[in-house]
Amino acid sequence: MSEPSHGVTLAAIQAARRRLEGQVARTPLVRSEALSRRFDADILLKLETCQPTGAFKLRGATNMIAALIERHGREALAAGVVTASTGNHGRAVAHAAARLGIPAVVCLSRLVPADKAEAVAALGAEVRRVGESQDAAFAEVERLVRERGMVLIPPFDDPLIAAGQGTIGLELLEDAPDLDRVLAGLSGGGLLGGIGAALKALRPEVTVTGVSLSRGAAMAESLAAGHPLAVEEETSLGDSLGGGIGLDNRCTFALVREVMDEHYRVSEAAIAAAMVDFLEHEKRLVEGAAAVGLAALAEHGIAVRGQTVALILSGNAVSLETFDRARALAGC
């Protein structure tokens, strides 16, 4: 059997898991009693908020850097690594690079909240604010790769990144072998695509549900069009789900199209209500992008009765100011 064009195979995900052992957390999968009663289902929360950097992105970034060293030697990264990010991936690259003593530059658009930029800088990376979109930040990345010989660690569009995120899927099935459905945020496609690749290889009957923002959802618009599109970003509580997928996308567009079974878009009000719900009933402060699974269940009335359902709580990078905005929008 030939390897898929996107390159994210079960073998690649299993290799990622070996590289990540001892480098990232094997995060808990916990049952929410309140949500299980509310939806008459077994609702499980995958707590990627427990990663050292507070988000799932550490898996992909660490896997890629480790794989490059494994294949080409540490000297291949002597000029340092560079990326563009909406925040969490930048923290992941900064964390992984610092542990290995490798210089790192993280390019952020001006739409990325200040608290996320400060968190990246605190890990030792150089932060560059560039333009009003992810595409503008990527232009600066390309310049640094071209002029300084830095190595790009992309936020999502690479088989090594998606395979690292796919290790979440392996853990889900180990902890919940009867899993019926998983809901994950959909942006660039590394998270949902990687998880979906693992699940479809090992338990193909699991329903893989992607959740996007109601506005500025580049992957959703691209899938509807049948090819990658440039979509204008908009400010959102779920800002980690913003950004384009790249007109020359070579991995995640095909991957998501292959593994995703259904897709929902959620409003700002639904995201706000879910963020508040997680704090009030689960005592978990999560960012908007981490709350979209619950937002989709509530806003769209997805039929999950009697099912075992996993919600991916992807990150906790939310300021109190942003959370107060969510509370106000939710009417609290």
Side-chain angles (χ1 to χ4, degrees):
M1 182 180 297
S2 62
E3 183 172 302
S5 62
H6 50 68
V8 186
T9 63
L10 179 60
I13 296 170
Q14 291 169 332
R17 183 170 197 176
R18 291 190 292 272
R19 294 188 192 101
L20 299 186
E21 187 173 357
Q23 304 298 312
V24 305
R26 189 192 189 288
T27 56
L29 182 68
V30 300
R31 186 175 192 271
S32 167
E33 298 299 332
L35 294 178
S36 294
R37 288 192 300 270
R38 177 177 171 185
F39 294 104
D40 196 15
D42 194 17
I43 305 296
L44 309 175
L45 309 178
K46 181 61 170 168
L47 303 181
E48 287 299 292
T49 50
C50 292
Q51 291 294 350
T53 56
F56 75 95
K57 290 284 191 176
L58 189 60
R59 295 177 185 260
T62 302
N63 182 52
M64 185 166 187
I65 293 173
L68 290 174
I69 292 174
E70 181 182 289
R71 297 172 184 179
H72 307 295
R74 187 181 297 269
E75 61 275 9
L77 303 182
V81 295
V82 62
T83 195
S85 170
T86 53
N88 287 328
H89 178 65
R91 292 179 69 188
V93 171
H95 183 276
R99 291 190 61 177
L100 295 169
I102 297 169
V105 175
V106 179
C107 301
L108 305 175
S109 84
R110 295 187 182 93
L111 288 180
V112 175
D115 60 296
K116 291 192 174 185
E118 292 163 4
V120 172
L123 291 169
E126 176 188 344
V127 173
R128 295 195 179 190
R129 288 284 205 172
V130 185
E132 302 297 332
S133 71
Q134 187 82 330
D135 289 340
F138 262 111
E140 176 67 2
V141 169
E142 291 169 354
R143 188 187 70 79
L144 292 172
V145 170
R146 183 175 62 252
E147 297 180 6
R148 288 174 47 178
M150 302 190 81
V151 176
L152 169 63
I153 308 298
F156 55 86
D157 191 30
D158 188 278
L160 289 169
I161 296 293
Q165 324 304 21
T167 58
I168 296 172
L170 301 181
E171 294 174 14
L172 285 174
L173 290 181
E174 289 170 354
D175 292 343
D178 296 327
L179 185 67
D180 295 302
R181 180 191 299 266
V182 61
L183 291 97
L186 177 64
S187 179
L191 175 64
L192 182 132
I195 292 174
L199 296 179
K200 294 303 182 183
L202 296 171
R203 186 174 164 81
E205 61 268 35
V206 175
T207 299
V208 176
T209 302
V211 187
S212 298
L213 305 175
S214 61
R215 300 171 297 177
M219 180 64 81
E221 297 289 350
S222 297
L223 290 169
H227 58 86
L229 293 176
V231 175
E232 184 177 351
E233 294 179 58
E234 298 194 33
T235 302
S236 171
L237 289 169
D239 57 89
S240 292
L241 297 182
I245 68 168
L247 295 179
D248 59 347
N249 187 289
R250 65 189 185 91
C251 171
T252 56
F253 177 76
L255 177 60
V256 170
R257 186 160 54 177
E258 178 182 305
V259 304
M260 187 171 71
D261 295 303
E262 59 182 17
H263 173 259
Y264 296 91
R265 297 175 77 155
V266 290
S267 66
E268 290 296 296
I271 296 172
M275 292 172 68
V276 172
D277 192 284
F278 275 125
L279 183 61
E280 291 188 345
H281 299 290
E282 307 296 330
K283 308 307 176 188
R284 302 188 187 281
L285 183 63
V286 301
E287 62 188 84
V292 295
L294 175 55
L297 288 180
E299 186 169 34
H300 295 283
I302 302 172
V304 296
R305 183 176 182 179
Q307 295 183 8
T308 298
V309 179
L311 307 181
I312 308 301
L313 271 60
S314 52
N316 62 11
V318 57
S319 67
L320 292 179
E321 179 183 1
T322 299
F323 188 78
D324 285 343
R325 184 156 55 92
R327 284 178 56 86
L329 185 56
C332 299

